[in-house]
Amino acid sequence: MQKISNQPLALLNQLTPEAFLAEYWQKKPLLIRQAIPQFEGLLTPDELAGLACEDEVQSRLVQFIKGQWQVTQGPMTEKTFKRLPEKDWTLLVQGVNHFLPEATDLLSQFSFIPHARLDDLMVSYAPDGGGVGPHLDSYDVFLLQGSGKRHWKISQQTDFTLVENAPLRILQNFETEQEWVLEAGDMLYLPPQIAHWGVAVGDDCMTYSIGFRAPKTQELAHEFLHYLQDQSTLTGIYADADLTLQTHPAEISTAMVEKVYQSFKAITWGTQHVGDFLGRYLTEPKPHIVFEPPKKMSLKIFGQRLQQRIIYLDLASQMLFWQDTFYLNGEALAVPNTLTTEMKILADTRQLDGSSLEADQLGTLAALLHPHYLAGYLMLEEA
Ligand code: SIN
Ligand code: CO
């Protein structure tokens, strides 16, 4: 089974993942020269522009024109790109990992951070001078330089005043504390709330942002309360055979409040509910994600193919587990004990070699995964 190793990594400046987590994660920035030696990127500027023209891809174009910030939301068109000036703009494409198979290997290098924390891979392209201005992000990010160079400035300032009426959150008074020029393969790790400003130096600057989401407590609680509402089925009906005469007919009596309060005590929740909620919530595909179902395949044929092939999670699929329950794209899977090891491999590595399965496991796994395969959540490929 895949285990996360604690060996020192070039990706982390020769720190072990444990040392990185203890000293830097969510605490302080870290510059890593040649984190991925020879890294020049996973796609060309034209391929990125092509993605930005697709309906199901989220993209933004940020321009700085005559002292004013401008943001255009995608999908882009060829015309959008033809009209652009030579300098001072940047194209940002979210969720590139959902469309580019090569991104899976890149993201797997960051598996020392739990998948539950991963948001997505964003890729930006900018000609000379392009950038999104000085700002703060509420999540952790590894800013990996692909082609070209980017000049990064960072600051631990506490002045969060924003430029008024700008279409994106730009800090009004950015004070540089540290700065570096990053080249292909260099990487900057930033915890949340560190002010930063990256500007392309020369053309064809592509930056890969590996972002880790940090949901707001209020947002989590809001979603959890929805979950709890769906889970609780309270029985009974309000009854007051003991009603006594009230002086004010308009008054809500303390007796009524007490009765309702007591009936609400049947709403109970604990860590089991929270774990189950997180499994569903964190694997729920973002609203714009669409899965393409494959050609119909019977369970029998699926089982036969599974035996000879590797089953992969679709690029947009998200799979996590909590204790022995597995979650795939917002749904809980009832997995028998005989398959938990295999399902953990699928969840951890996004793939499982069907030929490694025992004969009696195959049928059960095929039955378990077949509906999800038909929904487009999984793919079968030759080994
Ligand atoms: C960029 O890639 O241009 C922006 C990344 C960031 O500042 O978060
Ligand atoms: Co940022």
Side-chain angles (χ1 to χ4, degrees), residues 72-112:
T72 312
Q73 301 290 342
M76 308 298 162
T77 61
E78 264 187 50
K79 261 195 198 155
T80 328
F81 294 115
K82 280 204 180 114
R83 286 202 202 113
L84 285 170
E86 288 204 350
K87 280 175 64 143
D88 298 340
W89 57 268
T90 186
L91 171 70
L92 304 141
V93 181
Q94 293 291 148
V96 171
N97 50 314
H98 296 156
F99 304 96
L100 197 72
E102 294 77 6
T104 309
D105 283 345
L106 175 65
L107 292 184
S108 74
Q109 297 193 50
F110 294 83
S111 283
F112 52 88

Side-chain angles (χ1 to χ4, degrees), residues 6 8 12 14-25 27 30:
N6 194 35
L12 295 175
Q14 297 307 331
L15 290 171
T16 62
E18 269 181 11
F20 171 78
L21 294 178
E23 286 174 43
Y24 293 94
W25 177 251
K27 297 170 206 59
L30 177 64

Side-chain angles (χ1 to χ4, degrees), residues 7 29 106 108 141 144 151 196 240 245 253 271 305 346 353:
Q7 294 300 309
L106 175 65
S108 74
V141 66
L144 172 65
H151 184 178
H196 55 286
D240 54 1
L245 189 63
S253 69
T271 49
R305 301 243 166 113
L346 180 61
D353 184 351

Side-chain angles (χ1 to χ4, degrees), residues 8-190:
L9 296 175
L11 189 76
L12 295 175
N13 229 8
Q14 297 307 331
L15 290 171
T16 62
E18 269 181 11
F20 171 78
L21 294 178
E23 286 174 43
Y24 293 94
W25 177 251
Q26 296 239 304
K27 297 170 206 59
K28 54 185 181 193
L30 177 64
L31 171 75
I32 307 149
R33 292 286 181 200
Q34 291 307 288
I36 303 187
Q38 272 102 50
F39 182 76
E40 293 226 328
L42 305 178
L43 73 179
T44 64
D46 277 351
E47 285 165 341
L48 189 73
L51 271 182
C53 296
E54 304 275 342
D55 282 342
E56 64 273 31
V57 177
Q58 289 187 316
S59 62
R60 280 166 299 156
L61 184 67
V62 178
Q63 289 179 265
F64 192 62
I65 306 171
K66 296 188 187 137
Q68 299 285 322
W69 292 94
Q70 272 187 21
V71 180
T72 312
Q73 301 290 342
M76 308 298 162
T77 61
E78 264 187 50
K79 261 195 198 155
T80 328
F81 294 115
K82 280 204 180 114
R83 286 202 202 113
L84 285 170
E86 288 204 350
K87 280 175 64 143
D88 298 340
W89 57 268
T90 186
L91 171 70
L92 304 141
V93 181
Q94 293 291 148
V96 171
N97 50 314
H98 296 156
F99 304 96
L100 197 72
E102 294 77 6
T104 309
D105 283 345
L106 175 65
L107 292 184
S108 74
Q109 297 193 50
F110 294 83
S111 283
F112 52 88
I113 308 293
H115 293 177
R117 296 282 272 107
L118 179 68
D119 189 15
D120 73 346
L121 171 68
M122 180 184 85
V123 182
S124 69
Y125 170 86
D128 192 32
V132 296
H135 65 280
L136 298 164
D137 293 315
S138 54
Y139 49 80
D140 302 76
V141 66
F142 291 89
L143 298 155
L144 172 65
Q145 191 59 28
S147 61
K149 294 183 200 170
R150 187 178 286 276
H151 184 178
W152 282 106
K153 300 175 185 178
I154 66 166
S155 166
Q156 312 233 12
Q157 67 190 59
T158 48
D159 177 354
F160 297 159
T161 320
L162 299 176
V163 171
E164 271 177 43
N165 302 322
L168 67 175
R169 295 163 64 85
I170 307 275
L171 290 170
Q172 204 174 75
N173 313 306
F174 182 82
E175 294 150 30
T176 308
E177 286 172 4
Q178 284 179 288
E179 55 188 312
W180 310 273
V181 173
L182 268 65
E183 301 195 14
D186 293 344
M187 187 165 78
L188 179 61
Y189 161 71
L190 294 179

Side-chain angles (χ1 to χ4, degrees), residues 188-202:
L188 179 61
Y189 161 71
L190 294 179
Q193 305 303 323
I194 297 282
H196 55 286
W197 187 2
V199 178
V201 180

Side-chain angles (χ1 to χ4, degrees), residues 360-375:
D360 58 327
Q361 289 178 315
L362 249 170
T364 323
L365 189 72
L368 180 69
L369 297 183
H370 184 237
H372 303 288
Y373 171 76
L374 293 181

